[in-house]
Amino acid sequence: MNSDKKLLIDNMAKAARRGGISRRSFMNYSIAAGLTASTATGLWTGAAMAQPARGGTFRLGAHDGNTSDTHDPGTYLSFSIIQLAHTYRSYLTLIESDGSLGPDVASEWSASPDAKEWTFKINSRATFHSGGKVTADDVIASMNHHRGEKSTSAAKALLADVEDLVKVDDSTVTFKLASGNADLPWLMTDYHLTIIPANADGTANWQSGDGCGPYKLVDAEFGVGYRLVRHEDWHLDGAYFDEVEITVLNDPNARQTALVTGDVDAITQLELKTLSLLKRDPNIAIDNVPSAAAITMPMFVDQAPFNNLDVRTALKLAIDRNEIIDKIAFGAASLGNDFHHSPAMPYWPDDIPQREYDPDQAKSLLKKAGAEGVEVNLSIADSVFSGAVDMCVLYAEQAKKAGIKINVVREPNDGYYSDVWLKKPFCAVQWGARPTPDVMYSLAYKADAAWNESHWKNPRFNELLIKAKAELDNSLRAEMYREMALLARNDGGTIVPFFPNFVYARRKNVQHGEQLAASWQMDGARACSRWWFSA
């Protein structure tokens, strides 16, 4: 079978699992593609058995919720609000369960040869929960919410190269860029860039909580919980549950207890130290998904003692990543190397030497810097990730061998990302996965990025970031990302201990497809619309 026919069969099987093709059509197309009737029947039976059923109320226990969360997409920070955003709002594009880029509000898109202009066609079926069709005006208002001098959006840096947004007609928008960007359609999946209705003056009406996603928000108490009902006019497949309830359960023990007792149907972010115990429960299914998410420990490079490169390097050498992965992540992670580019991303520079635990070299660097016996505070909260506090305590023990004293400061769960991250000079953070290194570097390493968590400013890095964004030759682009990774590793202010797997759990009657997106926990934060109850 040639590749085109194989792709056709694969796509039909996916459609059958979603209920998007009839048995008659499936059989006719399969036989036309060269399959025997018996083979086609077997494929249909397998696909039909996995066909989602509609109905029921899906109850999700989610971690990392804050009372400071809002409907403003420019302020999205916590995981529970990101989960909610993918449930009641939509984006121009989305990341499919298999990791590929797919359509959402935009049904198609195309670029000019230099990638400086991108045109998106809006799905004619896309409607807001309030009843109106999604138009070019809404897309432009949604994007402009993150642009301009007065914008305080965390996604402002992502759209810095957008010079203009042009309404071609009611269902077509063209992005005009200052320089080429081959990743722009991927960029549109960023969780801040939701499509929301436009006000008459062209501003975005985010305050109403209106959206065009698979579910309509009925009740919302930020940091506590949310109730949603199916948006019957949603423009894509899915939304199998009649209703969705998301309850914020920041305490990992409370989350797991709620799952075991059946008070919720699924939970985010398992407590890994109890993973083996939970596996014994015949009513529970566990999903363990390698990802491009990252644990980072940013240091403000413009504040002492982190403004000294030797001190920063010593702190990077004073952490034993292998021990942390073994004892904290229980093996459900891959090694970090002090640059924020995961093996799950394209252009992975696999030839960069792994930084090893070397307390003797760290001690030598501190002596050179005149910083022997240096003492620092490291802020952390339980809600950041499973075992977060334990990781920091273990790191503090490891660093003692280098003569470094780390005081682990346990911060409140509520408000951690608004009151600690970007405000305290040394803390630990969990980043969700991003689809490409450009997106990650633009968000967290670009000199003027709102989320430049270490305050690091490297002229060469920023020069390469601009060049790589527009480079269409993949080999040249890979070389640039390798140099950027080295700059971040050797000069930057961020320790990257590991890239965690996404480990979450569900009751056995909750079903999902063969693959799970690695962009966010819970199938790319889309479990509420992609999963279903077994019949």
Side-chain angles (χ1 to χ4, degrees), residues 137-138 140-145 197-205:
D137 291 329
D138 302 312
I140 292 172
S142 299
M143 297 299 123
N144 282 340
H145 180 66
N199 291 312
D201 63 358
T203 58
N205 178 17

Side-chain angles (χ1 to χ4, degrees), residues 222-422:
F222 292 109
V224 179
Y226 313 91
R227 188 170 72 87
L228 308 96
V229 298
R230 184 193 295 120
H231 177 38
E232 298 295 346
D233 293 325
W234 192 42
H235 52 279
L236 298 179
D237 295 328
Y240 304 111
F241 303 115
D242 294 331
E243 297 188 14
V244 170
E245 294 176 359
I246 300 175
T247 302
V248 176
L249 297 171
N250 284 327
D251 180 77
N253 293 323
R255 284 198 305 278
Q256 291 189 194
T257 299
L259 180 67
V260 170
T261 58
D263 290 330
V264 297
D265 302 299
I267 59 171
T268 66
Q269 193 158 289
L270 289 184
E271 181 78 358
L272 295 177
K273 62 186 177 184
T274 61
L275 189 58
S276 59
L277 183 63
L278 199 60
K279 285 179 179 178
R280 300 174 192 170
D281 191 323
N283 299 309
I284 304 297
I286 296 170
D287 296 302
N288 190 337
V289 185
S291 79
I295 303 303
T296 68
M297 303 168 77
M299 305 169 273
F300 286 179
V301 300
D302 52 1
Q303 290 188 24
F306 312 115
N307 57 349
N308 187 297
L309 176 58
D310 290 327
V311 172
R312 298 200 298 272
T313 305
L315 284 160
K316 294 174 182 179
L317 290 165
I319 185 168
D320 187 337
R321 294 165 176 78
N322 288 299
E323 185 181 23
I324 283 175
I325 287 177
D326 181 48
K327 294 182 177 179
I328 304 301
F330 295 87
S334 54
L335 283 169
N337 201 14
D338 297 337
F339 57 89
H340 205 151
H341 183 167
S342 154
M345 289 181 183
Y347 310 107
W348 165 247
D350 58 3
D351 62 335
I352 294 178
Q354 175 64 48
R355 195 188 299 281
E356 303 290 347
Y357 177 52
D358 193 338
D360 291 333
Q361 186 183 356
K363 190 178 295 185
S364 177
L365 287 171
L366 292 175
K367 183 176 181 180
K368 175 187 171 186
E372 292 172 290
V374 66
E375 182 175 348
V376 297
N377 292 337
L378 173 60
S379 292
I380 189 58
D382 290 298
S383 62
V384 174
F385 64 91
S386 178
V389 173
D390 291 339
M391 182 198 75
C392 292
V393 171
L394 179 56
Y395 175 35
E397 285 298 313
Q398 295 167 349
K400 285 180 180 178
K401 292 183 179 180
I404 300 171
K405 183 177 181 180
I406 297 177
N407 302 313
V408 177
V409 181
R410 196 167 190 157
E411 305 280 1
N413 289 327
D414 188 41
Y416 182 82
Y417 282 99
S418 57
D419 300 332
V420 178
W421 181 56
L422 302 179

Side-chain angles (χ1 to χ4, degrees), residues 57-125:
T57 297
F58 180 56
R59 301 161 301 164
L60 174 64
H63 74 287
D64 187 26
N66 301 291
T67 55
S68 56
D69 291 333
T70 76
H71 284 310
D72 182 356
T75 67
Y76 287 169
L77 274 175
S78 66
F79 175 77
S80 67
I81 204 71
I82 293 168
Q83 180 75 45
L84 177 67
H86 285 84
T87 305
Y88 84 115
R89 284 177 166 163
S90 284
Y91 301 78
L92 279 177
T93 57
L94 58 76
I95 297 175
E96 302 281 9
S97 290
D98 63 3
S100 63
L101 185 69
D104 193 346
V105 166
S107 56
E108 58 184 271
W109 51 90
S110 59
S112 60
D114 60 1
K116 290 179 68 173
E117 289 191 8
W118 284 89
T119 298
F120 293 84
K121 188 76 174 178
I122 300 169
N123 190 319
S124 61
R125 295 177 52 212

Side-chain angles (χ1 to χ4, degrees), residues 13 16-17 26 39-51 514:
R17 284 191 290 271
F26 183 89
T39 301
T41 299
L43 284 174
W44 169 262
T45 301
M49 286 178 65
Q51 184 171 317
E514 296 174 4

